[in-house]
Each structure stands twice: as structure tokens, then as C-alpha cells.
Amino acid sequence: CLCPVFPTPPLGFFSLLFASCQRRLRSLLILGVMLGFASYYGHHMVLQKEPTGAVVWGYGEPGATVTVVLSGDGGLIVMKKTARVEGPSGTWTTVLDPMDQGGPYTLMAGQGSENVTLRDIYFGDVWLCSGQSNMVMTVLQIVNASRELADAARYPYVRIFAAAPARSDVELEDLEHVELPWSIPTAENLGHGNFTHFSAVCWLLGRYLYEALGYPIGLVEAAWGGTPIEAWSSRRALRACGTSQHPHLSGPQTPSVLWNAMIHPLLNMTLRGVAWYQGEANTLLHTDLYNCTFPALVADWRRAFHAASAGQTQPLLPFGFVQLSTYRRQSPDDSFARLRWHQTADLGVVPNARLPGTFMAVAMDLCDESSPYGSVHPRDKQNVAHRLQLGARAVAYGEKDVVFQGPYPTRAILEVTKGLLNLTYSQELVCRQRDTRAFEVCCSTPCRWLPAPVVAVGSRTVTLALAGCGRLVLALRYAWAEWPCDYQSCALYNTQGLPAPPFILDALPVGGTPGHPVSPAEKELLLLPGSGFSQGI
């Protein structure tokens, strides 16, 4: 257990377990210590840079005034803030003026004759990384781990922090435990063990962002393996989806217990973005509610971080996520495919109207059947993080020339007499594999899915054979399987190497669109996100 940062703690100090802000304060009164920072402030930390101000908070004697001083490396005072300690919580909060990137700085909190000083502080961008075991997998567990760990010393300005797994039935004001205090990365703290610290996806995302942006990055890991989205959701978010009561769930799977203990305590922190890798647990639990629970979590986290940070964390906090990878080859179960679709709020690509300000890393082509941690834990986290950082640069940082999505169909023409379906895509295509099961069509009600083999691939077009389908095409789907393809060998990619995402689309006959007339032997199909009969799988 790590408590707030205090000057020279008394004997036995770190053996105390504080279950909430109030219990923490009572313990401090017993010890006679009346000043400290909250648990996730420490030496070597990164605070959020401009254009927003970093929130700083801690503990003190109720009614007292705390002075917070930020000083440069030479001791020159950069800014001074005062905050009153509120009772009965015994907490104080201040917002620093927006700071340019860089450092190092010293941050001191003083109350009367007491003071606490944090050193080697930098300003940059702070990203929160959360989810289940694929987010928890450490740098020690991934491909080329030895090289990745050896490279840690090259990135002293990517700082890392990890909250310890914890659960609570009530919302906590501060973390009960810290697994890894703010640290400069080393081979030891990046590869402490299996499923401990530090998250490989989080680390690589931060490292790639540092290489692209050139200024400090702070990474905060708060993740727990095997946990469903319900555990990370507040009660109000669950109520929005009618999923608040789950009496059969226990431990870290219990609704809201990880929100309460691992996310709610962090709300005061000013953030630049969130990275999320979760969903495997929900292929077994409330799979078809994920199209509600995930957008509800994103919206709820945004509201909560914005409000608790005095408006410093932006209301449309950039939120990146990893679409599920694979588990079992040739599995007849389609829960992974459905979950992938629901991760996009049933719209196929992000950002979209239900998930604005989001970005997605497709990972269904990064399978790893020989992973010693089980095939559900693929070891190629470098490509996952690379695809995430492309989305972050495009969506969070507004880089207009960064391609971060794979190709997606925009138009379909049915050649009735030839039994062919011509798809037009949004980007130039690269065909890596003419898999006869990659595309499937539904031609009847109730839906029976038939393979639609690829017969031709053009620059932006794919032609499918519709043997056995006749004149009627009701729906179309792509890569709809738990294990859609071998490693980096799905059917379609763009020229940047990003895979086309999976989809399930209803096909409605329409006339030709303006500028795109069709002949009498052709029928244009309007492609709509799958619902109704196409979802009756």
C-alpha cells in the first residue's frame, strides 16, 4: 500500500491501509501528519501541459491554508497557488496555470511549518490506460521483449505509473494501493513479471507518441485481467443500459467495483486521452448489450473526468480502444465477431455519431496460436500500439495526413444476370488472401449465410461471386469469425498495411445514385449497418 507523499513517514506508516479519503485522514490525525499529496502524485511524474491546467490535490488540516509552489530547476519560482483545506474530508485542491511542455520542475506544498516536495516533475501529455488482461500484459511478455526492455533507457521522458488492482462497493476519493509509483522506465519496472507491470500496450503507445510528438508523456495504468465492462462502469452508466443488477457476479466482476476503486479516485487528474483494451470477458457476459454499455462508459468517463478536474480535462476526451483479437481457430461461436461489431456501436467504423472523438485499432489479424499465455493473449503488442497511435495522432492531435483506418465499403452493385456483387471501397486496396470464407451473403429469411468468394480485386473494388444466391441479397458480412485469418493475412488491407475492419451490413435495393447510374442488368444496394434479419445470426 502506498499512501500520499509525506515528509519522512513515521515507523509503520506504509503498513496502514486506507479504504477511503476519510479513513486516510483519520490515520493521518493519529500519526500527527497533517500534510500530503494524493497517492498518484510523486517524484518523476508528468503533469498535463497547456492548453489546460494540471489539477493538484492532497490532504491537510481542515480549515488550514496550503500553499503550492512550482519552481524551476534552478529554484526560480514559476507560480504560487493557495488552497483551503476543506472539512470534513481534509482535502485541498488547486489548478496550476497552463504550462508549456518540459521540465524538470519542483512542486512543493506547504502548510504552516510543514512542507512536502516532489522533484523531477515534467509537463507533457497524460494518458490513462485501462481494461483487462491484454492491457495488463507486460513488456516482458511480448515479442522481442529483450530488445524492448533494453530500449527503456532511451525514453527517460516517458514516465509510468500503475494503480494496484482494487475493488470497492463505494466510490473512493483516492487509490487504496499503488503498484508502481511514478517512475523513469527501466527494464525492471517495464517487465516486472507476467500480468503485473508495466502494460506493454500502454508503454508502446506512449513511446510511439513520444517519438511522434517530441515531448514528455505520462502513462497511468489502471487495469485488471478477466474483468467485464460492467465492473468499470459507474452505476449511472449501467442504469442507462438497464444493466445495474447482476446478483450472480462477484469479486472484480461485480458491477462498478473497479470504477469505484480504480477510476473514480483518478477523476481529479487532468488527462489528454484514454486507451482501452477490454471486451474478451463480455464475449461470455451480456455480449449483445456491449453496443450500449461501451458508448455509455465512454460518455460517462468523459463527463466525470471533465467535471472533477474543474473543466480542465476536455469534455470530448479522446478515447482509443483495441478491437478484439482472436481466441480459438475454427470456433463456430460468433461472440467475438458480435463483440467486435458492438465495440463500434454497431456502425463499423469510428469515430461515429454514437462514439465521437474515438479511434480504434483493429487486431483480428494479430492472432498468436502458440502464445504461452493462451491464444487469447497474442504477443504482438507492437502492431496494436502502432495502430492505436495512428488513431491518437489523427483524432486526439488532429494530424490531417495520418491514415488511421482501414478500407470500408461505400457502395454495392449487384450484377443480376452474372451473379456478381461489386463493392466499392473508401481506400486503395491490397489483397493479401483470397479467402473463400472472408465474405458471406444472406439471401433468405431467416438468414442463412453463404460464402461469397472473391473473384477480382481492383484498385478500390472487390467483386464477389454469389453462387446459390439468385437475384436477392439481403445482407453482407466480412471477417465474421472468432479467428478470421492467419497472422497479418486477412483478405483486405490498405496501402499503409491497416486491415479492413469486420462488418455486417444490410443490403437494400435502390436506384442509381447521382453521378453513379446503373444499367438495367444491375441493381444498386444501399449498405446499412447490420440490424434486423442480418443480426438474427
Side-chain angles (χ1 to χ4, degrees):
C1 172
L2 275 179
C3 301
V5 181
F6 298 104
T8 316
L11 186 64
F13 182 82
F14 292 104
S15 65
L16 294 173
L17 301 178
F18 301 147
S20 68
C21 170
Q22 287 74 20
R23 284 170 56 190
R24 189 183 296 258
L25 180 60
R26 287 197 296 270
S27 299
L28 300 182
L29 291 170
I30 293 170
L31 294 168
V33 177
M34 292 306 304
L35 181 67
F37 289 94
S39 63
Y40 47 88
Y41 296 86
H43 307 301
H44 315 302
M45 79 178 301
V46 173
L47 293 171
Q48 182 57 45
K49 73 173 187 68
E50 53 76 32
T52 56
V55 177
V56 178
W57 72 281
Y59 301 91
E61 183 175 1
T65 297
V66 172
T67 301
V68 178
V69 178
L70 182 72
S71 303
D73 200 25
L76 180 68
I77 294 177
V78 176
M79 79 178 72
K80 184 181 292 187
K81 299 283 183 176
T82 58
R84 180 178 175 83
V85 181
E86 302 296 334
S89 65
T91 60
W92 53 267
T93 304
T94 191
V95 179
L96 301 183
D97 297 336
M99 290 288 295
D100 289 337
Q101 64 200 43
Y105 293 94
T106 296
L107 188 66
M108 194 253 326
Q111 174 189 278
S113 61
E114 293 182 281
N115 64 75
V116 186
T117 301
L118 306 180
R119 304 187 187 281
D120 191 37
I121 307 299
Y122 280 78
F123 286 85
D125 282 345
V126 182
W127 282 78
L128 170 63
C129 302
S130 188
Q132 57 179 111
S133 53
N134 270 303
M135 182 61 85
V136 180
M137 279 183 75
T138 70
V139 181
L140 182 68
Q141 297 176 266
I142 64 174
V143 293
N144 297 320
S146 297
R147 187 187 68 196
E148 300 290 3
L149 292 171
D151 282 348
R154 297 173 50 206
Y155 300 95
Y157 302 113
V158 181
R159 305 293 175 85
I160 56 177
F161 173 94
R167 62 183 190 266
S168 172
D169 292 331
V170 297
E171 293 179 339
L172 303 185
E173 300 305 314
D174 200 356
L175 297 173
E176 279 191 311
H177 310 274
V178 170
E179 183 167 301
L180 179 69
W182 280 103
S183 302
I184 298 171
T186 65
E188 168 58 27
N189 58 34
L190 286 179
H192 186 69
N194 294 341
F195 300 105
T196 54
H197 62 259
F198 188 75
S199 163
V201 169
C202 192
W203 162 251
L204 292 167
L205 170 63
R207 199 185 86 184
Y208 297 159
L209 286 177
Y210 172 77
E211 290 170 345
L213 302 171
Y215 56 74
I217 300 291
L219 301 172
V220 177
E221 177 186 348
W224 192 332
T227 53
I229 194 170
E230 289 80 3
W232 297 99
S233 303
S234 72
R235 287 186 172 89
R236 65 181 167 271
L238 293 175
R239 283 195 298 270
C241 297
T243 58
S244 56
Q245 298 300 319
H246 300 289
H248 61 289
L249 297 176
S250 61
Q253 286 78 35
T254 306
S256 301
V257 294
L258 305 186
W259 158 266
N260 291 340
M262 299 180 70
I263 301 301
H264 189 271
L266 302 175
L267 293 183
N268 291 350
M269 180 181 288
T270 310
L271 294 180
R272 186 64 180 86
V274 175
W276 173 259
Y277 196 160
Q278 190 278 333
E280 296 88 349
N282 286 98
T283 64
L284 303 172
L285 176 73
H286 305 132
T287 305
D288 293 321
L289 286 175
Y290 207 89
N291 58 2
C292 181
T293 52
F294 182 47
L297 177 141
V298 173
D300 187 65
W301 282 26
R302 284 171 166 165
R303 284 192 297 267
F305 274 100
H306 178 68
S309 66
Q312 298 306 305
T313 294
Q314 59 181 286
L316 198 65
L317 176 66
F319 201 108
F321 63 95
V322 182
Q323 195 176 45
L324 288 191
S325 185
T326 55
Y327 182 24
R328 299 163 298 188
R329 186 188 291 271
Q330 296 180 337
S331 169
D333 186 10
D334 71 345
S335 59
F336 266 65
R338 300 200 323 270
L339 201 289
R340 292 187 193 110
W341 182 246
H342 296 330
Q343 285 180 293
T344 69
D346 295 354
L347 293 172
V349 293
V350 299
N352 59 49
R354 294 192 62 204
L355 286 168
T358 63
F359 52 95
M360 174 176 75
V362 176
M364 66 179 181
D365 67 328
L366 302 178
C367 52
D368 187 359
E369 199 166 20
S370 62
S371 171
Y373 315 106
S375 58
V376 77
H377 298 121
R379 289 166 290 177
D380 180 358
K381 295 298 192 270
Q382 289 88 341
N383 270 303
V384 171
H386 169 70
R387 294 170 184 179
L388 269 180
Q389 66 92 22
L390 291 176
R393 288 167 57 193
V395 174
Y397 294 97
E399 294 189 34
K400 303 300 184 185
D401 58 343
V402 173
V403 176
F404 68 102
Q405 297 172 316
Y408 202 74
T410 59
R411 191 174 188 229
I413 301 292
L414 176 62
E415 293 190 59
V416 179
T417 57
K418 296 181 180 180
L420 298 176
L421 182 64
N422 296 309
L423 300 178
T424 301
Y425 271 79
S426 60
Q427 299 174 34
E428 188 173 344
L429 297 171
V430 174
C431 181
R432 293 190 184 177
Q433 184 69 247
R434 291 201 177 186
D435 183 356
T436 58
R437 297 292 305 192
F439 289 92
E440 296 171 291
V441 289
C442 167
C443 309
S444 60
T445 306
C447 205
R448 184 168 67 92
W449 292 98
L450 301 174
V454 175
V455 296
V457 178
S459 174
R460 290 183 178 231
T461 60
V462 175
T463 301
L464 307 176
L466 301 177
C469 212
R471 296 171 174 267
L472 186 66
V473 174
L474 298 177
L476 172 71
R477 67 185 188 184
Y478 169 74
W480 200 265
E482 190 167 301
W483 192 288
C485 60
D486 288 334
Y487 180 74
Q488 291 195 316
S489 297
C490 281
L492 299 177
Y493 291 76
N494 64 13
T495 55
Q496 288 81 14
L498 296 177
F503 63 74
I504 185 166
L505 300 173
D506 292 342
L508 303 179
V510 295
T513 56
H516 297 89
V518 296
S519 72
E522 297 176 329
K523 182 188 297 182
E524 176 145 10
L525 301 178
L526 180 63
L527 299 177
L528 299 174
S531 60
F533 50 79
S534 69
Q535 288 288 291
I537 305 162

